[in-house]
């Protein structure tokens, strides 16, 4: 009698659960467990509901109890893995999904969830392979296509990410995660109006989604629609008042509107809700508060250029009228370099200087913080070696190695140039040349502008050169680029050790 009642209650609970009626299903699962405390299905599915309600710890406890009774079924292992990932235990989550797959190698859901754990562990190639295994088993699995789009985005393969997101949407167009993934890919490919529209679709399907509002705000900001961007960030904060990233980007939009006091308040709110103090320090400095940081954080610069790599050259040359490599080349040629130089291109980016420098370099090396930028530089086939690291580390490991060091539009991300000048001097051979550009400042040695770029005074550069042991061979006033249709004044300098 007890067994038949428990079975009947369990069947009713499962039906309610499948209809999304979690609380009555939960109540019935508990009644089943009162009749049979070791009922595996009731323990497992009660754990699934706990996870659906945001109680990862409760889910882990209940599903683990189910597995203690019977560990031979794949679904509880898979659902335990999802709950463990929710709890931040990615290694344990991976192990659970692999136990599920050992029991059922054709379990597409477990392959996809295994990919999620691998992605959290930054094992992106393995995560991609896991999603592909899921799709081999179940080609119409929209969530696996979407997860694949997310990991391709993480890998900087934005066009592939766009294709994977659209594959997901062709199968299931009411998929907010896929619309968000599509929007993120379009944003990075600079199809900004289309990105905004994609984020709109995600928000329509999930109106309280703070992350989607922030993503939309970032695209609006890039379009120059700063007021609309602020509105998006406000919506994000309405739904998630402790969202540090929304406060930070709201501050950036307010700064672009020259509403500096409000920008400062937004940055301070971001800090209060856990944002990186180093990031906030330079954000506050850009609106005139606090001490000017010596340099922008490496993580900020790396992230900026990782996303910028695919369209960097076109944006600089066609939109911003960027001519710095040609100006530096003319300065270097003015002192008649030989064709046998050992040259290092500091902050080489996509290698825009490379073709110029190759003409007088027997060896040409490049260094940059961003691997996607270096991948573009490698495609030019003009560098002998490329390294992904910071400038000081690279230079300090190579004393007296170079005849020529070049830094085109690099020092806009570094305020205090004294350590760089010292490191370059030590890395150059006697008589070696150092050619670089800066945005032109006046008065203070260096200032951080609202563009998050440093400007340096010529007097400061002359003083640093003398202190480091350089002789100034030439200086030239120039226009670095266009900003909102106006030229940005800059200096190019050529020094000699």
């Amino acid at each position: 009698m007890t067994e038949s009642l428990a079975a009947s209650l369990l069947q009713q609970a499962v039906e309610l659960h499948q209809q999304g009626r979690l609380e009555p299903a939960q109540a019935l699962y508990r009644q089943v467990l009162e009749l049979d405390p070791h009922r595996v299905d009731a323990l497992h599915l009660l754990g699934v509901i706990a996870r659906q309600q945001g109680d990862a710890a409760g889910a882990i406890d209940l599903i683990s109890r189910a597995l203690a009774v019977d560990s031979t079924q794949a679904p509880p292992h898979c659902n335990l893995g999802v709950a463990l990932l929710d709890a931040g235990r990615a290694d344990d989550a991976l192990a659970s999904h692999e136990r599920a797959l050992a029991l059922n190698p054709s379990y597409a859901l477990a392959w996809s969830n295994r990919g999620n754990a691998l992605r959290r562990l930054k094992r992106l190639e393995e995560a991609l392979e896991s999603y592909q295994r899921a799709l081999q088993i179940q080609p119409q699995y929209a969530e696996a296509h979407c997860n694949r789009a997310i990991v391709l985005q993480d890998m900087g393969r934005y066009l592939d990410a766009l294709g994977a997101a659209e594959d997901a949407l062709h199968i299931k167009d009411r998929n907010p995660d896929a619309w968000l993934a599509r929007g993120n890919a379009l944003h990075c490919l600079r199809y900004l109006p289309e990105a905004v529209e994609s984020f709109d679709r995600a928000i329509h399907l999930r109106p309280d989604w703070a992350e989607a509002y922030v993503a939309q705000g970032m695209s609006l900001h890039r379009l120059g629609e700063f007021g609309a961007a602020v509105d998006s960030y406000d919506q994000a904060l309405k739904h998630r008042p402790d969202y540090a990233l929304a406060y930070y980007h709201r501050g950036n939009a307010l700064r672009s509107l020259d509403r500096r006091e409000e920008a400062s308040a937004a940055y301070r709110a971001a800090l209060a809700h856990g944002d990186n103090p180093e990031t906030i320090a330079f954000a506050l400095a850009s609106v005139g508060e606090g001490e000017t940081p010596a340099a922008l954080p490496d993580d900020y610069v790396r992230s900026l250029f990782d996303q910028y790599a695919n369209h960097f050259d076109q944006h600089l040359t066609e939109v911003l009228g960027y001519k710095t490599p040609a100006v530096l080349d003319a300065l270097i040629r003015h002192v008649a370099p030989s064709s046998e130089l050992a040259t290092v291109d500091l902050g080489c980016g996509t290698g825009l200087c490379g073709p110029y420098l190759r003409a007088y370099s027997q060896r040409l090396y490049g260094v940059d913080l961003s691997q996607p930028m270096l991948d573009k530089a490698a495609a030019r086939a003009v560098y002998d070696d490329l390294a992904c690291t910071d400038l000081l580390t690279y230079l300090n490991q190579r004393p007296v190695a170079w005849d020529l060091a070049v830094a085109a539009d690099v020092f806009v991300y570094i305020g205090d140039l004294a350590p760089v000048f010292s490191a370059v001097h030590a890395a150059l051979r006697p008589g070696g040349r150092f050619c670089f550009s800066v945005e032109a400042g006046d008065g203070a040695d260096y200032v951080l502008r609202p563009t998050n770029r440093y400007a340096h005074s010529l007097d400061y550069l002359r003083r640093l050169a003398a202190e480091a042991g350089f002789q100034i061979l030439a200086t030239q006033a120039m226009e670095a680029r266009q900003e909102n249709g106006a030229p940005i004044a800059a200096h190019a300098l050529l020094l000699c050790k």
Side-chain angles (χ1 to χ4, degrees), residues 311-325:
H311 57 276
F312 180 80
D313 294 4
Q314 180 183 15
H315 187 66
L316 277 183
T317 57
E318 296 180 15
V319 179
L320 301 183
Y322 182 68
K323 301 181 178 66
T324 301

Side-chain angles (χ1 to χ4, degrees), residues 10-23:
L10 182 63
Q11 182 179 353
Q12 293 175 55
V14 170
E15 290 172 357
L16 290 167
H17 196 169
Q18 289 171 340
Q19 294 166 15
R21 299 170 63 186
L22 301 186
E23 291 183 6

Side-chain angles (χ1 to χ4, degrees), residues 67 71 92 105 170 183 214 233 270 281 284 286 295 310 325 342 364 366 477:
L67 287 167
S71 63
D92 292 335
H170 288 148
V214 167
Y233 300 133
L284 288 169
S286 74
N310 281 326
L364 176 57

Side-chain angles (χ1 to χ4, degrees), residues 167-189:
D167 287 340
L169 291 166
H170 288 148
I171 298 164
K172 181 181 175 184
D173 73 342
R174 294 184 62 80
N175 184 335
D177 295 293
W179 283 112
L180 181 69
R182 180 178 183 271
N184 287 334
L186 288 164
H187 175 90
C188 290
L189 291 166

Side-chain angles (χ1 to χ4, degrees), residues 50-100:
R51 191 255 166 183
Q52 289 173 296
Q53 294 174 331
D55 180 9
I60 292 166
D61 175 63
L62 286 161
I63 301 172
S64 296
R65 285 165 57 192
L67 287 167
V69 177
D70 180 2
S71 63
T72 63
Q73 300 300 312
H77 288 289
C78 185
N79 285 319
L80 177 61
V82 174
L84 287 164
L85 194 62
D86 288 346
R89 295 166 58 184
D91 284 305
D92 292 335
L94 178 61
S96 282
H97 293 308
E98 291 185 340
R99 280 192 286 272

Side-chain angles (χ1 to χ4, degrees), residues 324-404:
T324 301
V327 173
L328 298 189
D329 176 61
L331 272 185
I332 294 166
R333 288 181 181 277
H334 181 68
V335 295
S338 75
S339 60
E340 302 298 319
L341 301 181
T343 301
V344 60
D345 189 355
L346 302 172
C348 64
T350 61
L352 285 172
C353 284
Y356 294 99
L357 301 178
R358 182 79 263 178
Y360 32 82
S361 300
Q362 184 181 47
R363 291 189 295 120
L364 176 57
Y365 285 29
V367 55
D368 200 275
L369 280 172
S370 168
Q371 188 59 53
M373 297 286 272
L374 290 171
D375 292 342
K376 297 290 184 182
R380 295 182 186 275
V382 295
Y383 292 90
D384 296 298
D385 187 68
L386 293 163
C388 188
T389 187
D390 66 278
L391 304 186
L392 291 179
T393 298
Y394 186 85
L395 291 167
N396 290 336
Q397 292 173 348
R398 293 162 178 80
V400 199
W402 312 106
D403 302 303
L404 173 64

Side-chain angles (χ1 to χ4, degrees), residues 149-421:
I150 293 167
V151 81
L152 286 164
Q153 180 81 12
D154 290 346
M155 296 168 78
R157 293 170 54 182
Y158 305 126
L159 196 58
D160 291 335
L162 176 61
E166 293 187 339
D167 287 340
L169 291 166
H170 288 148
I171 298 164
K172 181 181 175 184
D173 73 342
R174 294 184 62 80
N175 184 335
D177 295 293
W179 283 112
L180 181 69
R182 180 178 183 271
N184 287 334
L186 288 164
H187 175 90
C188 290
L189 291 166
R190 287 303 194 273
Y191 294 109
L192 298 174
E194 295 85 351
V196 171
E197 181 184 356
S198 203
F199 296 134
D200 271 338
R201 296 290 296 270
I203 289 164
H204 176 74
L205 292 166
R206 194 180 295 169
D208 61 350
W209 200 2
E211 289 82 356
Y213 281 112
V214 167
Q216 181 186 62
M218 292 170 68
S219 287
L220 288 165
H221 190 134
R222 285 224 174 118
L223 283 166
E225 297 180 23
F226 305 125
V230 172
D231 290 342
S232 287
Y233 300 133
D234 286 344
Q235 286 295 318
L237 291 165
K238 173 184 172 183
H239 297 293
R240 185 173 159 188
D242 63 347
Y243 196 3
L245 188 66
Y247 284 112
Y248 172 72
H249 285 295
R250 185 175 187 273
N252 291 343
L254 290 164
R255 184 183 66 197
S256 295
L257 291 165
D258 205 28
R259 291 159 58 180
R260 295 196 176 194
E261 289 186 8
E262 293 172 84
S264 173
Y267 291 139
R268 293 187 184 282
L271 182 63
H273 288 95
D275 210 337
N276 185 323
E278 188 180 22
T279 300
I280 298 304
F282 87 74
L284 288 169
S286 74
V287 292
E289 288 198 28
E291 295 185 9
T292 302
L296 300 188
D298 282 353
D299 285 346
Y300 168 86
V301 178
R302 183 182 296 108
S303 175
L304 178 69
F305 286 104
D306 282 356
Q307 293 189 35
Y308 205 16
N310 281 326
H311 57 276
F312 180 80
D313 294 4
Q314 180 183 15
H315 187 66
L316 277 183
T317 57
E318 296 180 15
V319 179
L320 301 183
Y322 182 68
K323 301 181 178 66
T324 301
V327 173
L328 298 189
D329 176 61
L331 272 185
I332 294 166
R333 288 181 181 277
H334 181 68
V335 295
S338 75
S339 60
E340 302 298 319
L341 301 181
T343 301
V344 60
D345 189 355
L346 302 172
C348 64
T350 61
L352 285 172
C353 284
Y356 294 99
L357 301 178
R358 182 79 263 178
Y360 32 82
S361 300
Q362 184 181 47
R363 291 189 295 120
L364 176 57
Y365 285 29
V367 55
D368 200 275
L369 280 172
S370 168
Q371 188 59 53
M373 297 286 272
L374 290 171
D375 292 342
K376 297 290 184 182
R380 295 182 186 275
V382 295
Y383 292 90
D384 296 298
D385 187 68
L386 293 163
C388 188
T389 187
D390 66 278
L391 304 186
L392 291 179
T393 298
Y394 186 85
L395 291 167
N396 290 336
Q397 292 173 348
R398 293 162 178 80
V400 199
W402 312 106
D403 302 303
L404 173 64
V406 177
D409 204 39
V410 175
F411 297 154
V412 294
Y413 303 106
I414 305 172
D416 179 6
L417 292 175
V420 178
F421 273 48

